[in-house]
Amino acid sequence: GHTDSVGNPAQNMDLSKRRAEAVKAVLVSQFSIDAARLSTAGLGSTKPIDSNDTPQGRSQNRRVELVKQ
């Protein structure tokens, strides 16, 4: 899970963790994916994919990514 850089960094880290956990919960409950196959991590605003200087860039940074391992 990721966030933009607006706000308190500690709160953004918590938000990014909760965002990732929420996506996992939907994948398990609505798509019947085995929870043991999924793990979550929150990265806060540490890995932006766009500039945090514009509303559009910030919206791109508020995301969850699925990474196959």
Side-chain angles (χ1 to χ4, degrees):
H2 300 270
T3 63
D4 60 29
S5 64
V6 176
N8 179 293
Q11 290 175 333
N12 280 341
M13 189 63 70
D14 179 59
L15 173 60
S16 67
K17 290 176 185 177
R18 289 186 290 120
R19 181 173 281 147
E21 290 167 1
V23 170
K24 178 181 175 179
V26 169
L27 291 172
V28 171
S29 68
Q30 294 184 18
F31 295 93
S32 301
I33 296 176
D34 181 4
R37 296 181 60 205
L38 303 171
S39 62
T40 61
L43 299 174
S45 61
T46 63
K47 296 191 180 215
I49 59 170
D50 205 340
S51 170
N52 280 299
D53 295 331
T54 66
Q56 181 178 355
R58 287 189 295 276
S59 71
Q60 294 294 318
N61 290 330
R62 295 187 296 265
R63 70 195 188 280
V64 170
E65 295 179 351
L66 300 177
V67 179
K68 183 178 179 181
Q69 294 187 339

